Amino acid sequence: MTNIVDILIEEVDKGLKYSTQNYQLNKRDYPGKGLEDSDLTELEKHHSAGLMRVNHSGEVCAQALYRGQALTAELNDVKEKMNEAASEELDHLAWCNKRLEELNQRPSILNPLWYGMSFTLGAVAGLAGDKWSLGFVEETEEQVVKHLDGHMKKVSSKDNKTKAIMKQMREDEEAHGLAAQKAGAAELPEEVKEIMSAVAKVMTTTSYQI
Ligand SMILES: [Fe+2]
Ligand SMILES: [Fe+2]
Protein backbone atom coordinates (compact mmCIF):
# COMPACT_ATOMS: atom_id res chain seq x y z
CA MET A 1 0.00 0.00 0.00
CA THR A 2 1.30 3.41 -0.96
CA ASN A 3 2.32 5.38 2.04
CA ILE A 4 -0.03 8.24 2.97
CA VAL A 5 2.98 10.58 3.35
CA ASP A 6 4.00 9.84 -0.26
CA ILE A 7 0.47 10.57 -1.45
CA LEU A 8 0.36 13.86 0.45
CA ILE A 9 3.77 14.92 -0.87
CA GLU A 10 2.61 14.17 -4.43
CA GLU A 11 -0.62 16.12 -3.91
CA VAL A 12 1.15 19.16 -2.43
CA ASP A 13 3.64 19.05 -5.30
CA LYS A 14 0.85 18.94 -7.91
CA GLY A 15 -1.10 21.65 -6.09
CA LEU A 16 1.88 24.01 -6.13
CA LYS A 17 2.60 23.21 -9.78
CA TYR A 18 -0.93 23.81 -11.02
CA SER A 19 -1.67 26.87 -8.93
CA THR A 20 1.61 28.76 -9.24
CA GLN A 21 3.30 27.74 -12.49
CA ASN A 22 2.50 28.63 -16.07
CA TYR A 23 1.40 25.08 -16.87
CA GLN A 24 1.13 24.63 -20.65
CA LEU A 25 1.40 20.92 -21.35
CA ASN A 26 -1.74 20.03 -23.28
CA LYS A 27 -2.74 16.78 -24.95
CA ARG A 28 -5.20 18.37 -27.37
CA ASP A 29 -4.48 21.26 -29.70
CA TYR A 30 -4.85 24.81 -28.46
CA PRO A 31 -8.26 25.99 -29.73
CA GLY A 32 -6.73 29.35 -30.68
CA LYS A 33 -4.16 27.65 -32.93
CA GLY A 34 -4.14 29.11 -36.44
CA LEU A 35 -6.45 31.98 -35.49
CA GLU A 36 -5.30 35.57 -36.00
CA ASP A 37 -4.87 37.56 -32.81
CA SER A 38 -7.36 40.30 -33.57
CA ASP A 39 -6.68 43.97 -33.21
CA LEU A 40 -8.04 44.51 -29.71
CA THR A 41 -7.97 47.84 -27.89
CA GLU A 42 -6.13 47.97 -24.56
CA LEU A 43 -9.48 48.01 -22.78
CA GLU A 44 -10.73 44.94 -24.67
CA LYS A 45 -7.47 43.11 -23.97
CA HIS A 46 -7.73 43.95 -20.31
CA HIS A 47 -11.30 42.66 -20.20
CA SER A 48 -10.41 39.43 -22.06
CA ALA A 49 -7.53 38.88 -19.65
CA GLY A 50 -9.80 39.43 -16.65
CA LEU A 51 -12.29 36.87 -17.97
CA MET A 52 -9.51 34.45 -18.83
CA ARG A 53 -8.00 34.88 -15.36
CA VAL A 54 -11.38 33.86 -13.91
CA ASN A 55 -11.52 30.82 -16.20
CA HIS A 56 -7.97 29.93 -15.28
CA SER A 57 -8.82 30.05 -11.56
CA GLY A 58 -11.85 27.89 -12.32
CA GLU A 59 -9.55 25.32 -13.91
CA VAL A 60 -7.19 25.44 -10.94
CA CYS A 61 -10.24 24.68 -8.77
CA ALA A 62 -11.30 21.88 -11.14
CA GLN A 63 -7.89 20.21 -10.76
CA ALA A 64 -8.11 20.48 -7.00
CA LEU A 65 -11.72 19.27 -6.78
CA TYR A 66 -11.14 16.23 -8.96
CA ARG A 67 -7.89 15.30 -7.25
CA GLY A 68 -9.43 15.72 -3.81
CA GLN A 69 -12.38 13.57 -4.83
CA ALA A 70 -10.16 10.88 -6.36
CA LEU A 71 -8.27 10.68 -3.07
CA THR A 72 -11.35 9.77 -1.03
CA ALA A 73 -13.61 8.06 -3.62
CA GLU A 74 -14.90 4.65 -2.50
CA LEU A 75 -14.98 2.76 -5.79
CA ASN A 76 -11.95 2.30 -7.98
CA ASP A 77 -13.82 3.08 -11.20
CA VAL A 78 -15.04 6.37 -9.68
CA LYS A 79 -11.46 7.13 -8.64
CA GLU A 80 -10.34 6.43 -12.21
CA LYS A 81 -13.07 8.62 -13.67
CA MET A 82 -12.08 11.50 -11.39
CA ASN A 83 -8.44 11.18 -12.40
CA GLU A 84 -9.41 10.97 -16.09
CA ALA A 85 -11.51 14.13 -15.77
CA ALA A 86 -8.66 15.88 -13.96
CA SER A 87 -6.35 15.08 -16.85
CA GLU A 88 -8.85 16.51 -19.38
CA GLU A 89 -9.13 19.64 -17.25
CA LEU A 90 -5.35 19.98 -17.57
CA ASP A 91 -5.84 20.89 -21.23
CA HIS A 92 -8.15 23.70 -20.14
CA LEU A 93 -5.63 24.89 -17.60
CA ALA A 94 -2.90 24.91 -20.25
CA TRP A 95 -5.08 26.80 -22.76
CA CYS A 96 -6.05 29.45 -20.21
CA ASN A 97 -2.40 29.89 -19.26
CA LYS A 98 -1.43 30.27 -22.90
CA ARG A 99 -4.11 32.85 -23.61
CA LEU A 100 -3.15 34.86 -20.53
CA GLU A 101 0.45 34.83 -21.71
CA GLU A 102 -0.60 35.99 -25.18
CA LEU A 103 -2.48 38.86 -23.55
CA ASN A 104 0.60 39.68 -21.45
CA GLN A 105 -1.19 39.05 -18.19
CA ARG A 106 -0.66 36.81 -15.18
CA PRO A 107 -2.99 34.30 -13.54
CA SER A 108 -4.62 35.17 -10.23
CA ILE A 109 -2.29 35.46 -7.24
CA LEU A 110 -5.03 33.82 -5.15
CA ASN A 111 -4.81 30.49 -7.02
CA PRO A 112 -2.95 28.57 -4.27
CA LEU A 113 -5.73 29.56 -1.87
CA TRP A 114 -8.44 28.40 -4.31
CA TYR A 115 -6.55 25.17 -4.87
CA GLY A 116 -6.31 24.38 -1.16
CA MET A 117 -9.96 25.19 -0.54
CA SER A 118 -11.19 23.20 -3.54
CA PHE A 119 -9.01 20.20 -2.74
CA THR A 120 -10.48 20.08 0.77
CA LEU A 121 -14.01 20.45 -0.60
CA GLY A 122 -13.39 17.66 -3.11
CA ALA A 123 -12.01 15.34 -0.44
CA VAL A 124 -15.02 16.02 1.81
CA ALA A 125 -17.41 15.40 -1.10
CA GLY A 126 -15.59 12.12 -1.75
CA LEU A 127 -16.01 11.11 1.88
CA ALA A 128 -19.75 11.78 1.68
CA GLY A 129 -19.96 8.89 -0.79
CA ASP A 130 -19.63 8.39 -4.53
CA LYS A 131 -23.17 9.39 -5.51
CA TRP A 132 -22.80 12.73 -3.68
CA SER A 133 -19.34 13.23 -5.06
CA LEU A 134 -20.66 12.68 -8.59
CA GLY A 135 -23.60 14.97 -7.82
CA PHE A 136 -21.11 17.60 -6.81
CA VAL A 137 -19.30 17.20 -10.15
CA GLU A 138 -22.55 17.42 -12.10
CA GLU A 139 -23.59 20.61 -10.31
CA THR A 140 -20.13 22.18 -10.59
CA GLU A 141 -19.97 21.53 -14.32
CA GLU A 142 -23.49 22.87 -14.80
CA GLN A 143 -22.53 26.08 -13.04
CA VAL A 144 -19.33 26.34 -15.09
CA VAL A 145 -21.30 25.97 -18.33
CA LYS A 146 -23.65 28.81 -17.31
CA HIS A 147 -20.67 30.84 -16.33
CA LEU A 148 -18.93 30.28 -19.69
CA ASP A 149 -22.14 31.25 -21.49
CA GLY A 150 -22.03 34.55 -19.62
CA HIS A 151 -18.38 35.06 -20.53
CA MET A 152 -19.03 34.38 -24.22
CA LYS A 153 -21.50 37.24 -24.19
CA LYS A 154 -19.18 39.58 -22.29
CA VAL A 155 -15.99 39.07 -24.30
CA SER A 156 -15.25 41.32 -27.29
CA SER A 157 -16.74 39.81 -30.46
CA LYS A 158 -13.35 40.50 -32.10
CA ASP A 159 -11.48 38.22 -29.69
CA ASN A 160 -11.66 35.00 -31.70
CA LYS A 161 -8.96 33.18 -29.74
CA THR A 162 -10.59 33.68 -26.35
CA LYS A 163 -13.97 32.76 -27.80
CA ALA A 164 -12.59 29.56 -29.37
CA ILE A 165 -11.08 28.47 -26.04
CA MET A 166 -14.28 29.17 -24.14
CA LYS A 167 -16.39 27.35 -26.72
CA GLN A 168 -14.27 24.19 -26.52
CA MET A 169 -14.19 24.32 -22.73
CA ARG A 170 -17.95 24.72 -22.61
CA GLU A 171 -18.39 21.62 -24.76
CA ASP A 172 -16.06 19.60 -22.52
CA GLU A 173 -17.63 20.79 -19.25
CA GLU A 174 -21.06 19.86 -20.51
CA ALA A 175 -19.76 16.37 -21.34
CA HIS A 176 -18.16 16.06 -17.87
CA GLY A 177 -21.50 16.93 -16.25
CA LEU A 178 -23.35 14.36 -18.35
CA ALA A 179 -20.75 11.70 -17.59
CA ALA A 180 -21.20 12.31 -13.85
CA GLN A 181 -24.96 12.09 -14.26
CA LYS A 182 -24.68 8.77 -16.11
CA ALA A 183 -22.28 7.39 -13.50
CA GLY A 184 -24.98 7.76 -10.82
CA ALA A 185 -24.84 11.35 -9.53
CA ALA A 186 -27.36 12.29 -6.84
CA GLU A 187 -29.14 15.65 -7.07
CA LEU A 188 -27.64 17.98 -4.48
CA PRO A 189 -29.92 19.85 -2.03
CA GLU A 190 -30.76 23.41 -3.16
CA GLU A 191 -28.97 24.88 -0.12
CA VAL A 192 -25.71 23.21 -1.17
CA LYS A 193 -26.11 24.46 -4.74
CA GLU A 194 -26.62 28.00 -3.43
CA ILE A 195 -23.52 27.82 -1.23
CA MET A 196 -21.50 26.53 -4.20
CA SER A 197 -22.62 29.39 -6.39
CA ALA A 198 -21.92 31.95 -3.62
CA VAL A 199 -18.36 30.60 -3.20
CA ALA A 200 -17.91 30.66 -6.99
CA LYS A 201 -19.04 34.29 -7.03
CA VAL A 202 -16.31 35.28 -4.54
CA MET A 203 -13.73 33.49 -6.67
CA THR A 204 -14.87 34.97 -9.99
CA THR A 205 -15.12 38.53 -8.66
CA THR A 206 -11.66 38.53 -7.09
CA SER A 207 -9.87 36.59 -9.86
CA TYR A 208 -11.09 39.05 -12.50
CA GLN A 209 -9.09 41.75 -10.69
CA ILE A 210 -6.13 40.00 -9.10
FE1 LIG B 1 -12.45 22.78 -17.34
FE1 LIG C 1 -14.98 19.98 -16.45
Side-chain angles (χ1 to χ4, degrees):
M1 204 172 110
T2 323
N3 189 308
I4 185 75
V5 179
D6 292 342
I7 295 175
L8 286 177
I9 290 172
E10 193 193 340
E11 288 308 326
V12 170
D13 179 58
K14 287 217 153 60
L16 284 171
K17 180 174 164 196
Y18 299 142
S19 62
T20 61
Q21 294 176 14
N22 187 354
Y23 185 87
Q24 289 197 16
L25 202 66
N26 45 301
K27 283 191 189 152
R28 289 177 296 164
D29 272 351
Y30 178 53
K33 192 180 164 189
L35 292 176
E36 289 274 317
D37 215 348
S38 27
D39 204 6
L40 301 173
T41 64
E42 278 311 305
L43 202 66
E44 285 167 337
K45 266 191 202 167
H46 186 78
H47 185 50
S48 286
L51 297 175
M52 214 22 113
R53 195 158 38 240
V54 171
N55 291 323
H56 179 271
S57 289
E59 295 303 333
V60 166
C61 292
Q63 273 315 304
L65 279 173
Y66 280 121
R67 295 202 67 87
Q69 283 174 306
L71 190 70
T72 55
E74 290 160 14
L75 299 173
N76 273 337
D77 64 324
V78 173
K79 241 182 236 289
E80 244 169 62
K81 276 204 178 74
M82 295 297 177
N83 277 327
E84 253 172 52
S87 101
E88 281 182 27
E89 302 285 6
L90 277 183
D91 284 345
H92 299 174
L93 189 66
W95 299 340
C96 291
N97 261 321
K98 188 167 173 63
R99 187 62 189 137
L100 278 172
E101 195 177 80
E102 286 171 351
L103 292 163
N104 289 320
Q105 294 253 354
R106 294 188 161 274
S108 169
I109 53 167
L110 299 171
N111 282 339
L113 175 72
W114 305 136
Y115 192 97
M117 275 172 61
S118 304
F119 188 88
T120 311
L121 252 169
V124 171
L127 286 175
D130 288 346
K131 69 171 186 171
W132 294 113
S133 189
L134 289 163
F136 189 66
V137 169
E138 190 190 2
E139 177 59 22
T140 305
E141 298 288 7
E142 204 171 292
Q143 291 193 13
V144 175
V145 166
K146 279 188 200 151
H147 185 77
L148 283 166
D149 283 340
H151 274 197
M152 305 257 272
K153 283 184 197 145
K154 285 182 197 160
V155 72
S156 161
S157 56
K158 288 190 279 172
D159 192 348
N160 294 326
K161 282 192 171 183
T162 300
K163 282 194 296 178
I165 297 165
M166 288 177 178
K167 188 169 171 277
Q168 186 57 55
M169 283 184 1
R170 188 204 185 279
E171 221 170 86
D172 296 346
E173 313 302 15
E174 199 170 35
H176 294 157
L178 281 174
Q181 194 189 52
K182 271 197 195 149
E187 171 97 21
L188 297 186
E190 281 309 311
E191 296 81 356
V192 176
K193 290 185 185 178
E194 277 164 28
I195 294 171
M196 285 166 72
S197 98
V199 172
K201 181 114 186 107
V202 175
M203 186 276 276
T204 53
T205 315
T206 46
S207 288
Y208 182 89
Q209 303 291 349
I210 48 169

Coordinates of all heavy atoms in Angstrom, one line a residue, residues 59 89 92 173, ligand 1:
E59 N -10.2 26.6 -13.5 CA -9.6 25.3 -13.9 C -8.6 24.9 -12.8 O -8.4 23.7 -12.6 CB -8.8 25.5 -15.2 CG -9.7 25.7 -16.4 CD -10.7 24.6 -16.6 OE1 -10.5 23.5 -16.2 OE2 -11.8 24.9 -17.2
E89 N -9.1 18.2 -17.7 CA -9.1 19.6 -17.3 C -7.7 20.3 -17.4 O -7.6 21.5 -17.4 CB -9.6 19.7 -15.8 CG -11.0 19.2 -15.5 CD -12.2 20.0 -16.0 OE1 -11.9 21.0 -16.7 OE2 -13.3 19.6 -15.7
H92 N -7.5 22.4 -20.3 CA -8.2 23.7 -20.1 C -7.2 24.6 -19.4 O -7.1 25.8 -19.7 CB -9.4 23.6 -19.3 CG -10.5 22.7 -20.0 ND1 -11.7 22.4 -19.4 CD2 -10.5 22.2 -21.2 CE1 -12.4 21.6 -20.2 NE2 -11.7 21.5 -21.3
E173 N -17.0 20.7 -20.6 CA -17.6 20.8 -19.3 C -19.0 20.2 -19.3 O -19.4 19.5 -18.4 CB -17.7 22.2 -18.7 CG -16.5 23.1 -18.8 CD -15.2 22.6 -18.2 OE1 -15.2 21.4 -17.8 OE2 -14.3 23.4 -18.0
Ligands
FE1 FE -12.4 22.8 -17.3

